[in-house]
């Protein structure tokens, strides 16, 4: 399995690493480290899990670990922050493809509250004015909508979070969930 992964992904992973570290010898070393981690953890890859996402997560974490081990140069810290932000953005883009259809499937009051506040950026005060309801009712609708959305997401997907509780990846729990797209 690891041999197949090497043949299929090593060029992509090396390119990914080289864009994030300036030294090509270091990039080669990091790629070796990535494949050692892949070899040692291949049994943790669950059937049906997205292999490519798993590989890039290991690669990203290996680069982050490298920058954390480095002496604290300003450039290393900037690269580390960029990688962590990129990690969040990639996961969130995928997750949003599930969230919007789920929000649209909520009862109208909660759907409208979440669409206006979470996706259109209205404050809860602005939401109350737009919907001509009390501020308390707007807060309540948003909170209940979030709870309904969380419930729907939990039924459909399991989430992997980083040490700060931010979502970094997801996996469909059930095949009947049509909201999540496959990569």
């Amino acid at each position: 399995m690891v041999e197949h992964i090497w043949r299929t992904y090593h060029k992509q992973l090396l390119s990914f690493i080289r864009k994030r570290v300036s030294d090509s010898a270091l990039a080669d070393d990091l790629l070796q480290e990535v494949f050692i981690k892949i070899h040692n953890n291949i049994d943790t890859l669950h059937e049906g899990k997205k292999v490519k996402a798993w590989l890039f997560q290991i690669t990203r974490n290996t680069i982050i670990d490298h920058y954390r081990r480095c002496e604290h140069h300003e450039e290393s810290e900037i690269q580390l922050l960029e990688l962590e932000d990129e990690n969040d953005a990639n996961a969130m883009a995928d997750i949003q493809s599930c969230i919007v259809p789920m929000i649209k499937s909520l009862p109208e009051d909660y759907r409208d509250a979440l669409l206006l506040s979470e996706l259109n950026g209205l404050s809860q005060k602005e939401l109350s004015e737009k919907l001509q309801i009390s501020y308390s009712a707007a807060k309540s609708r948003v909170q209940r909508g979030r709870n309904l959305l969380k419930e729907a997401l939990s039924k459909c997907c399991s989430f992997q979070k980083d040490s700060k509780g931010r979502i970094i990846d997801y996996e469909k729990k059930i095949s009947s969930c049509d909201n999540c797209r496959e990569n």
Side-chain angles (χ1 to χ4, degrees), residues 13-117:
L13 295 175
L14 183 58
S15 175
F16 181 83
I17 294 168
R18 284 187 174 157
K19 289 177 184 172
R20 288 148 183 86
V21 297
S22 55
D23 182 348
S24 64
L26 174 61
D28 291 338
D29 290 346
L30 290 174
L31 182 64
Q32 262 188 332
E33 192 176 328
V34 166
F35 273 91
I36 290 169
K37 289 178 182 180
I38 291 168
H39 177 74
N40 291 338
N41 295 295
I42 195 74
D43 58 327
T44 66
L45 180 63
H46 303 291
E47 189 173 321
K49 181 156 172 117
K50 293 176 271 179
V51 174
K52 189 172 182 178
W54 183 73
L55 295 173
F56 278 90
Q57 185 62 45
I58 290 172
T59 305
R60 198 175 287 109
N61 289 343
T62 302
I63 297 167
I64 289 170
D65 290 345
H66 162 73
Y67 281 119
R68 286 186 177 145
R69 285 190 306 260
C70 284
E71 294 178 26
H72 288 288
H73 293 102
E74 189 175 318
E75 182 180 322
S76 296
E77 290 179 20
I78 290 169
Q79 286 280 19
L80 180 59
L81 290 173
E82 286 174 358
L83 276 166
E84 289 173 344
D85 288 346
E86 176 184 301
N87 193 17
D88 294 344
N90 291 342
M92 288 312 295
D94 270 353
I95 292 165
Q96 284 177 350
S97 69
C98 291
I99 290 176
V100 173
M102 285 185 181
I103 289 174
K104 289 181 177 179
S105 72
L106 294 176
E108 184 179 357
D109 286 347
Y110 306 119
R111 176 187 64 224
D112 292 345
L114 287 181
L115 287 173
L116 291 169
S117 65

Side-chain angles (χ1 to χ4, degrees), residues 49 57 61 64 68 84 87-88 91-92 95 99 150-151 153-154 157-171 173:
K49 181 156 172 117
Q57 185 62 45
N61 289 343
I64 289 170
R68 286 186 177 145
E84 289 173 344
N87 193 17
D88 294 344
M92 288 312 295
I95 292 165
I99 290 176
K150 183 178 180 182
E151 204 174 285
L153 284 166
S154 294
C157 302
S158 59
F159 295 93
Q160 180 183 355
K161 298 178 181 178
D162 66 9
S163 61
K164 295 179 182 174
R166 296 177 297 196
I167 296 171
I168 57 174
D169 200 7
Y170 74 98
E171 180 178 352
K173 283 184 185 176

